């Protein structure tokens, strides 16, 4: 008896259709080819910026859905890392594109804005909506302490070159720009090594601290997993193919977006600081935002924290130092010397986040506090 070949691709097509039709925002995917054409044909900067900005939102959401599906194969620890990594692909590509275009201020603003967005807006919304659905939620205290201290270290890593530029530059006999550049490159190497240590800590030596521990409201199945555990919809080949294709499209859209930002800022009246720190990260963090909030409403706070805080750590300890190293290799003198207000905003945000998460419990009022701080910083950047 002849057996028919398995039509695995049919299930992948159904899964892709479900992912695309599962969110009404994905209708903006229709804008993607228009945005790419606008950039290629060199339309007016306003059209190029807006069309490619709108394109990034559904692309980030689809990217988040695919990575979340892929994460189901490997558990909450590696799953959270995969989600944070591919969620940050948008920010990393945006920053490298801006770096190669010589827009150093945009690089610093977009990466800093990504950290602030994940720490305050994404985590705040996770606490808020998770608290509305589940009242009080808990997460691993030891893992949170390790993550919080790493974020504080990263903030200090940005503050030291900034302070050195302000305090040492004026009275130095050497070139102050070369001084700050040398400190930034040394700091970048140290932060990258710290990120490598963090990966070893998270994935090998202390994996249990980051495992998603079900809360008391979650039922446990006979196999030891949460009762609502899901199965991947996509095959591994389809997941990797989709991730590759989306990343390539995001890279092109990001190049057009950053190349039009400076002219769009002049014509719209919106400052580059506001566009880079607030507007671009909201588009880039769309997938982390949706994923963290959804899993928080399902009472999976360790996974939600892994996405929000893990993404912030990845940007602070990897993406920002990586931009410095890429600039070093390509002859672009990008430094970690931010403007004093940005350094202060980052330090206060990290401190507030550590205060809010110190008890390893969350509820909706803590979410309101984080969102309120993000709004205050956004107002300051709007009028900057």
């Amino acid at each position: 008896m002849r057996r028919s070949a398995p039509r695995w691709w049919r299930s992948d097509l159904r899964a892709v259709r479900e992912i695309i039709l599962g969110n009404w925002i994905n209708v903006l995917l229709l804008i993607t080819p228009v945005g790419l054409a606008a950039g290629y044909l060199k339309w007016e900067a306003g059209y190029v910026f807006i069309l490619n900005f709108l394109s990034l939102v559904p692309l980030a959401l689809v990217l988040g859905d695919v990575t979340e599906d892929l994460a189901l194969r490997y558990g909450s620890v590696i799953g959270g890392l995969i989600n944070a990594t591919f969620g940050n692909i948008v920010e990393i590509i945006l920053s490298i594109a801006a770096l190669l275009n010589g827009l150093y201020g945009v690089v610093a603003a977009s990466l800093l804005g990504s950290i602030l967005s994940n720490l305050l807006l994404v985590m705040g919304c996770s606490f808020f909506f998770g608290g509305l659905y589940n009242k009080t939620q808990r997460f691993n205290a030891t893992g949170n302490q390790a993550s919080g201290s790493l974020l504080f270290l990263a903030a200090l890593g940005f503050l030291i070159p900034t302070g050195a530029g302000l305090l040492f530059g004026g009275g130095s006999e050497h070139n102050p720009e070369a001084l700050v550049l040398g400190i930034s490159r040394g700091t970048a190497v140290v932060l990258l090594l710290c990120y490598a240590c963090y990966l070893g800590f998270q994935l090998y030596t202390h994996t249990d601290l980051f495992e998603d521990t079900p809360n008391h409201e979650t039922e446990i199945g006979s196999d030891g997993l949460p009762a609502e555990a899901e199965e991947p919809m996509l095959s591994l080949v389809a997941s990797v193919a989709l991730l590759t294709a989306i990343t390539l499209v995001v890279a092109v859209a990001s190049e057009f977006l950053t190349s039009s930002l400076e002219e769009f800022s002049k014509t719209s009246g919106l400052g580059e600081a506001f566009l880079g720190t607030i507007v671009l990260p909201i588009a880039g963090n769309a997938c982390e935002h949706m994923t963290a909030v959804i899993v928080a409403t399902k009472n999976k706070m360790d996974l939600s924290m892994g996405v929000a805080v893990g993404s912030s750590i990845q940007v602070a300890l990897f993406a920002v130092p990586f931009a410095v190293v890429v600039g070093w290799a390509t002859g672009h003198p990008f430094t970690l010397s931010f403007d004093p207000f940005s350094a202060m905003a980052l330090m206060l945000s990290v401190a507030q986040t550590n205060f809010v998460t110190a008890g390893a419990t969350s509820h909706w009022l803590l979410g309101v506090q984080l969102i309120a701080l993000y709004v205050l910083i956004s107002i300051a950047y709007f009028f900057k």
Side-chain angles (χ1 to χ4, degrees):
M1 179 178 180
R2 188 179 65 178
R3 299 177 60 184
S4 59
R7 302 282 186 171
W8 55 268
W9 53 271
R10 290 183 176 176
S11 62
D12 284 334
L13 286 177
R14 285 195 298 267
V16 171
R17 183 175 61 185
E18 183 176 340
I19 288 173
I20 294 176
L21 299 180
N23 195 318
W24 64 268
I25 297 179
N26 290 336
V27 72
L28 293 176
L29 286 171
L30 297 174
I31 297 177
T32 301
V34 182
L36 297 179
Y40 180 76
L41 298 175
K42 301 187 184 302
W43 290 4
E44 186 182 337
Y47 293 117
V48 175
F49 182 89
I50 293 173
L51 289 172
N52 283 284
F53 173 80
L54 292 176
S55 299
L56 286 182
V57 177
L59 288 171
L61 290 177
V62 174
L63 189 68
D65 288 336
V66 176
T67 52
E68 186 179 4
D69 185 80
L70 185 63
L72 293 174
R73 300 175 181 274
Y74 302 108
S76 60
V77 177
I78 297 180
L81 181 63
I82 291 173
N83 194 286
T85 300
F86 280 96
N88 285 328
I89 283 291
V90 179
E91 286 87 355
I92 294 174
I93 293 175
L94 274 171
S95 64
I96 298 302
L99 176 70
L100 297 179
N101 282 314
L103 302 174
Y104 304 142
V106 175
V107 178
S110 63
L111 292 176
L112 175 68
S114 179
I115 300 172
L116 296 178
S117 176
N118 278 303
L119 275 184
L120 301 178
L121 186 61
V122 176
M123 190 188 300
C125 289
S126 298
F127 283 6
F128 180 76
F129 289 104
L132 290 180
Y133 278 81
N134 302 284
K135 195 172 182 179
T136 301
Q137 298 175 285
R138 297 176 177 82
F139 45 88
N140 191 288
T142 310
N144 175 69
Q145 183 185 29
S147 300
S149 61
L150 273 176
L151 280 172
F152 195 78
L153 172 65
L156 289 175
F158 303 153
L159 190 63
I160 289 172
T162 302
L166 293 174
L167 299 176
F168 299 159
S172 175
E173 297 179 357
H174 304 285
N175 185 350
E177 294 182 359
L179 176 72
V180 173
L181 187 60
I183 295 174
S184 297
R185 288 172 175 173
T187 303
V189 172
V190 172
L191 293 180
L192 288 172
L193 290 175
C194 288
Y195 183 68
C197 292
Y198 168 71
L199 290 181
F201 182 83
Q202 183 185 37
L203 299 178
Y204 295 103
T205 64
H206 290 73
T207 306
D208 57 301
L209 299 181
F210 298 90
E211 287 288 354
D212 188 42
T213 304
N215 286 269
H216 60 277
E217 293 91 346
T218 306
E219 296 182 3
I220 307 298
S222 59
D223 56 357
L225 294 172
E228 70 272 18
E230 302 172 90
E231 292 293 327
M233 296 187 298
L234 293 165
S235 66
L236 184 59
V237 173
S239 298
V240 174
L242 278 173
L243 289 176
T244 303
I246 295 171
T247 302
L248 290 175
V249 175
V250 166
V252 178
S254 299
E255 171 63 27
F256 291 144
L257 183 70
T258 54
S259 62
S260 64
L261 187 143
E262 191 172 4
E263 187 178 346
F264 176 72
S265 174
K266 295 176 182 177
T267 56
S268 66
L270 295 173
E272 285 188 32
F274 179 76
L275 291 172
T277 310
I278 305 299
V279 178
L280 292 185
I282 289 178
N285 286 334
C287 66
E288 292 105 313
H289 201 151
M290 296 294 293
T291 302
V293 171
I294 289 171
V295 298
T297 60
K298 296 178 180 179
N299 217 8
K300 300 178 180 180
M301 282 309 296
D302 284 301
L303 180 55
S304 180
M305 292 289 288
V307 173
V309 180
S311 182
S312 300
I313 290 175
Q314 193 172 66
V315 173
L317 292 180
F318 176 74
V320 179
F322 180 70
V324 175
V325 173
V326 170
W328 191 359
T330 58
H332 293 80
F334 176 64
T335 72
L336 296 177
S337 180
F338 299 128
D339 66 273
F341 176 78
S342 297
M344 179 199 70
L346 177 61
M347 184 62 71
L348 293 179
S349 299
V350 172
Q352 173 68 0
T353 302
N354 284 339
F355 288 147
V356 165
T357 59
T361 59
S362 65
H363 46 76
W364 68 265
L365 183 58
L366 294 179
V368 169
Q369 296 173 34
L370 293 175
I371 296 172
L373 180 55
Y374 186 75
V375 172
L376 292 176
I377 293 174
S378 300
I379 293 173
Y381 273 108
F382 181 78
F383 289 102
K384 185 179 176 183

